[in-house]
Every structure is written in C-alpha cells, then in structure tokens.
Amino acid sequence: MVVVGGGPAGCAAAISLARAGRGVTLVDKATFPRDKCCGDGLTTAALRELEALGLDPGAVPSWTAVGAAWVRSPSGRTVGFPLPHGQGVFAAIAPRAELDAALLDVARAVGVKVHDGHRFSGAATVHDDRITLDVDGLGPIEARYAIAADGMWSPLRKALGLATPGYLGEWHAFRQYVDGVTGPARDRLWVWFEPDLLPGYAWSFPLPDGRVNLGFGVRRGGARQGDELARIWSELRSRPHIAEALGPHVAAHGPHKAWPIPARADRAILSGGGGRVLLVGDAACATDPLTGEGIGQALLTGRLAADAISRAGATEPAAAAARYRVGVAREWLADHRMASMLSSVIRHPLGTRVAVRVAGSTAWTRRCFARWLFEDEPRAAALTPLRWHRQFLARPGAYTRGA
C-alpha cells in the first residue's frame, strides 16, 4: 500500500494497514515536523481515534487537556460549559507541528516506511492489479492500493481527473499563535459568536506558557471576502471582550495564516481508479460543516479506508471502494447533514442567541451540550436509533488511565 500525505488521515490509514499485516509506504512533500494551518483542537471523537492508534499525549510537548468551553453569544451573554472531570480527556489542544510528527513516529514504530520530503510528482498509472505513482527522489512506487491523504488540493485526486475546477472549500479561516496571554484565555477555551462572523466564530485555544491559538472561521461566500476578511482579522484582537480575555501584553508569535476548509462529505468523491485509490481527510472534503473541525473526521476516514482495503483484499478494488462508501455513510453522513442544518440555525444572531441561552439554561443542559459540542456522541444520534445505547452521554473520555 502507498499513502500520499502524512497528516492525521494518512497516518491513521497507514498505521491501521500496517497493523493488519500490509506493507505500507507513506510519502509526503514536507519534512516533518512542519507547521500546518489549523485550530489545533481535538474533540472527544478525535481523541478516541488517537488513543486507538497508540498515540501517547506525552509525545506531544504542548498537549493541553481542556476541562470546559466558554461561549459568548452575539448578545454578549457568556456561558461556561463544563466537561466531565476525572473520566478521561474530552477535549485537548495539540499544535499540528507536534501532533503530526508524533503520529508519524507511531507509524514508523509499527513498520510503515515513511519518506517525508518526497513529493508525489502528479503522475499516476492505474493497472488492473495495481497502481504506480511517481515520487520525486524515489522513482515509481507500485502498490495494490493508494490512499489519497494529500489535502484540500489533492494532487493524487487531480492526477486521476477527479478534481472540481474552481473549488475553494466551504469555510475560510485565519489563525495565529499569540504569546503573553495573562487574561482568562490563558487557561480557558473560548468561542466567540461574533455577529459579523455568523455562522462562523472566533476562537482562542490555550497552550502552555501563556500561548494561545487565536483565529476565526467563516462560511465562504457572500460579502465577506478578500479585503473584508483581512479587515476583520486586523481588528479582532482589539475587540473589547477579546482583548479582555487575552490580557494587555499579548504579542504575535509568527505570521498569521489563512486556509480553505472543505466540508461537503455528502457530495465528495471517495474513490477513483476503479477503487485502487481511496480519498480520506480533506481530500474527501471530510470536515464538520458546523464547526470547521476536521481532525476527528480525518482520523475516522483514514481508519475506514484501511479497514475497507483489508477486508476486500488485493484483488477486489471495487469491493473496497463500495465498503468504504458504506462505512463513511454509516459513520458520518447523518451527522454531516445534522451539522449543516444546525449551521443554518446559527446563521442569524437571533438563532445563535437562542441556542446559547437554551444550552446554558441549567447545569444539566450545560453538561450535555459540552459533551455534544465535543462529539462525545454522534451529532445526529437522536435521529439514528441504531446508534442508541444505554451509556448515551455517559461514556468515559479518552486516555482514562491518566484521569
């Protein structure tokens, strides 16, 4: 097997395939560790996937577990949503430069041949029984299957003629690391539903030593493009409630970055080359349309693709592709549709204000909303009875041994 892309989706696929006894080669154009523009947030679903893959949080130096989320509605109402204490980790922050490098170390440890700093050249040939990829510095690599984990612009998807011309994603986001935080944001995870960002939001995610990941994400389209987004970013830190949360002595740590986010898994192409290529993560547009979060979905699609290949075997690529599509539909499409529906609710300030007020009305609603927000259970569980169970919203989080 060959995996193109060393992010969470590619690592999840490679590790799962190697553990299933397959020979796996992973290539990536970057040399790790490398920065990746991201909010760095890990939901409960992502944490459970990482734990199953064998990632040790201790291998991620800036790993920061989060015990609650603080949300500010467009009216200025602020509500704290606590996560369970002493039952494992339900949310965490992990810079992608550290997280992805640690995942690649896990891949190496289980036998994956990792070749970072080697770019897929864009040439792919599909045969009846294999696929051949040209990789700079390595020459042609032949494999039974290829996993396209190469991001939003996916050169492998493009090489197969499956790219959508002009596609720019459903979300657009800005992010910057900020030092010297002394206000409440030093220790708290903040989400600000700003009226001019809806149905998007601004965030501050805490990291060690007074550093935070500060950013905002908006749905693409409408009037908020180009210069308008740059203007919002330039004055975001000076908004009184955000400035108060950060404190008076903050300073930018490195340049700000912007990136597009694909969030249309219900319409995405998941396979190509007669099933010899399966697309995962951002290459499969697998991002939450409500929050823009994609690490959990990347890990999930990587694992599902690996499982589909392992079960179908080397000679049944069409069966592998079909199994993968069914797996994605079963695990995530209902939640994707639910998230899209909820996104339309919070598109307007009134909808967001009502949602925050209802979610914060009692201690019970605050606890349940926090677990639902961080995907302790599938978003659309209420509409998919086959996924109901007795421990609904009562399961422990990930990494319970250290709780």
Side-chain angles (χ1 to χ4, degrees):
M1 313 298 162
V2 60
V3 177
V4 181
C11 283
I15 293 167
S16 300
L17 285 166
R19 285 182 175 160
R22 272 60 180 178
V24 186
T25 296
L26 183 150
V27 300
D28 194 294
K29 65 181 181 181
T31 300
F32 289 71
R34 59 90 179 94
D35 188 27
K36 182 72 172 180
C37 202
C38 182
D40 298 336
L42 299 174
T43 62
T44 314
L47 291 164
R48 290 198 177 108
E49 295 285 344
L50 290 170
E51 184 179 29
L53 289 173
L55 178 79
D56 178 3
V60 184
S62 299
W63 179 283
T64 303
V66 174
W70 292 81
V71 176
R72 186 181 191 272
S73 84
S75 67
R77 178 185 177 87
T78 299
V79 182
F81 294 97
L83 289 162
H85 177 69
Q87 300 178 42
V89 183
F90 289 84
I93 314 301
R96 290 288 300 278
E98 300 175 8
L99 177 67
D100 293 6
L103 274 173
L104 277 182
D105 286 342
V106 175
R108 292 186 183 97
V110 298
V112 177
K113 297 177 181 178
V114 176
H115 296 282
D116 56 339
H118 292 271
R119 181 191 301 268
F120 165 58
S121 70
T125 305
V126 179
H127 311 276
D128 288 340
D129 61 345
R130 66 194 187 283
I131 183 169
T132 302
L133 304 183
D134 287 340
V135 178
D136 293 345
L138 299 177
I141 297 177
E142 290 191 339
R144 294 294 191 181
Y145 290 90
I147 300 287
D150 47 352
M152 163 85 180
W153 310 114
S154 185
L156 183 48
R157 183 179 60 200
K158 183 178 180 180
L160 296 174
L162 301 176
T164 302
Y167 177 59
L168 297 174
E170 279 67 37
W171 279 74
H172 194 75
F174 282 75
R175 179 224 73 182
Q176 187 168 46
Y177 292 110
V178 176
D179 286 330
V181 177
T182 56
R186 182 182 179 91
D187 303 306
R188 291 180 177 179
L189 183 155
W190 280 92
V191 173
W192 295 288
F193 285 113
E194 301 291 280
D196 55 341
L197 298 181
L198 296 177
Y201 58 95
W203 70 77
S204 176
F205 293 169
L207 289 163
D209 303 319
R211 184 164 57 109
V212 303
N213 181 316
L214 179 71
F216 76 86
V218 294
R219 294 283 297 187
R220 187 176 292 278
R224 296 173 307 195
Q225 299 186 37
D227 293 343
E228 175 65 11
L229 293 178
R231 182 197 63 77
I232 292 173
W233 176 251
S234 68
E235 53 85 30
L236 186 69
R237 278 179 15 203
S238 64
R239 298 187 180 194
H241 51 284
I242 295 179
E244 180 181 0
L246 296 174
H249 305 299
V250 296
H253 180 85
H256 78 267
K257 295 185 177 182
W259 76 104
I261 300 175
R264 56 172 183 178
D266 54 341
R267 292 173 287 147
I269 297 171
L270 298 178
S271 64
R276 290 287 171 196
V277 180
L278 301 185
L279 289 80
V280 298
D282 278 1
C285 302
T287 301
D288 190 314
L290 177 64
T291 66
E293 189 272 334
I295 297 177
Q297 290 82 357
L299 294 164
L300 172 64
T301 53
R303 174 171 60 83
L304 291 175
D307 180 71
I309 290 171
S310 296
R311 291 178 180 274
T315 62
E316 299 292 340
R323 183 179 290 273
Y324 178 47
R325 287 193 296 271
V326 170
V328 170
R330 181 184 63 248
E331 294 286 343
W332 200 54
L333 285 191
D335 304 306
H336 180 95
R337 296 186 182 109
M338 171 67 82
S340 297
M341 180 184 71
L342 293 170
S343 181
S344 66
V345 172
I346 66 170
R347 184 176 297 275
H348 304 288
L350 179 60
T352 307
R353 289 169 57 188
V354 170
V356 173
R357 181 173 292 276
V358 171
S361 58
T362 69
W364 181 84
T365 60
R366 289 193 292 273
R367 288 195 304 270
C368 290
F369 179 79
R371 297 188 71 153
W372 177 84
L373 179 67
F374 287 100
E375 300 176 43
D376 180 52
E377 297 289 350
R379 283 263 167 78
L383 305 180
T384 50
L386 291 178
R387 291 189 288 182
W388 292 356
H389 57 90
R390 292 187 177 184
Q391 294 298 312
F392 184 73
L393 289 179
R395 290 190 297 165
Y399 299 105
T400 54
R401 183 172 300 178

